[in-house]
Amino acid sequence: PEPEPEPEPEPDPKPRPPLPEMVLEPPYSGYLKEAVDYEELHYGKREEDKPVDPLALVFAGGEDASLYFRGFEQVPFTGWVKVWSDEGGLEELTHFKKGQEDGLCLLWHDNGFLHQQGYFTDGYEEGEWVFWDRDGNETKRETYDKGIRVEE
């Protein structure tokens, strides 16, 4: 009998792009370390201090959904969230409080340069947001009040 052909070797996984330099230094390095992956969160609606049937979580989204939860936790998520791009680079680092974006939000271009920086309050953009191009040059600043852009 003929010998079995050698199986094709598995391709090496594509290396993850380097992290943006700013997240290698405090305080951002601490935020990244404690951040959970966005995929661990789901959008739903629950009443605080009321236990949830895990099967009901499947149907917890929809129009009534208003907050982010992690896994089967009964309280809305509070903490840092990181989002990875399809290429594996860090795309976003945002703080959540009681299930909504609340606090610093940082977004990066795929080359590691900062793209946007701003703040959320109760799920809405608030105050000044700064935008940069792929080369790190500031392109604009926008001011928000409860999620609505304020003309200056």
Side-chain angles (χ1 to χ4, degrees), residues 4-12:
E4 290 285 321
E6 288 290 318
E8 289 290 317
E10 289 289 319
D12 289 335

Side-chain angles (χ1 to χ4, degrees), residues 40 42 46 52-55 57 69-75:
E40 294 181 38
H42 60 88
R46 299 188 205 160
V52 173
D53 173 359
L55 291 176
L57 293 178
F69 294 84
R70 183 179 183 199
F72 294 118
E73 292 177 1
Q74 300 293 322
V75 294

Side-chain angles (χ1 to χ4, degrees), residues 129-133 137-142 144 149:
W129 283 67
V130 185
F131 299 79
W132 293 270
D133 64 20
N137 302 304
E138 185 179 314
T139 58
K140 65 181 174 178
R141 289 175 180 252
E142 295 177 352
Y144 289 85
R149 187 168 168 209

Side-chain angles (χ1 to χ4, degrees), residues 10-74:
E10 289 289 319
D12 289 335
K14 196 170 156 186
R16 179 170 273 188
L19 288 170
E21 286 190 25
M22 72 182 290
V23 298
L24 301 177
E25 302 291 328
Y28 306 107
S29 57
Y31 303 158
L32 182 63
K33 186 176 181 180
E34 67 181 64
V36 301
D37 284 328
Y38 179 75
E39 285 79 31
E40 294 181 38
L41 301 183
H42 60 88
Y43 207 46
K45 178 181 175 157
R46 299 188 205 160
E47 295 175 42
E48 214 159 329
D49 300 322
K50 185 176 176 188
V52 173
D53 173 359
L55 291 176
L57 293 178
V58 176
F59 307 103
E63 291 178 17
D64 289 342
S66 58
L67 301 172
Y68 283 92
F69 294 84
R70 183 179 183 199
F72 294 118
E73 292 177 1
Q74 300 293 322

Side-chain angles (χ1 to χ4, degrees), residues 37-138:
D37 284 328
Y38 179 75
E39 285 79 31
E40 294 181 38
L41 301 183
H42 60 88
Y43 207 46
K45 178 181 175 157
R46 299 188 205 160
E47 295 175 42
E48 214 159 329
D49 300 322
K50 185 176 176 188
V52 173
D53 173 359
L55 291 176
L57 293 178
V58 176
F59 307 103
E63 291 178 17
D64 289 342
S66 58
L67 301 172
Y68 283 92
F69 294 84
R70 183 179 183 199
F72 294 118
E73 292 177 1
Q74 300 293 322
V75 294
F77 179 76
T78 293
W80 288 95
V81 174
K82 57 190 169 195
V83 178
W84 300 102
S85 69
D86 291 339
E87 293 76 36
L90 184 63
E91 193 171 90
E92 180 179 344
L93 187 62
T94 300
H95 190 265
F96 280 66
K97 180 177 169 188
K98 295 185 178 177
Q100 298 178 317
E101 295 99 334
D102 194 293
L104 181 62
C105 174
L106 301 164
L107 293 105
W108 287 272
H109 290 286
D110 59 8
N111 64 1
F113 279 101
L114 198 57
H115 178 236
Q116 295 179 37
Q117 177 176 331
Y119 289 87
F120 282 96
T121 301
D122 297 328
Y124 295 101
E125 296 96 336
E126 191 66 43
E128 186 173 69
W129 283 67
V130 185
F131 299 79
W132 293 270
D133 64 20
R134 294 179 52 78
D135 297 319
N137 302 304
E138 185 179 314

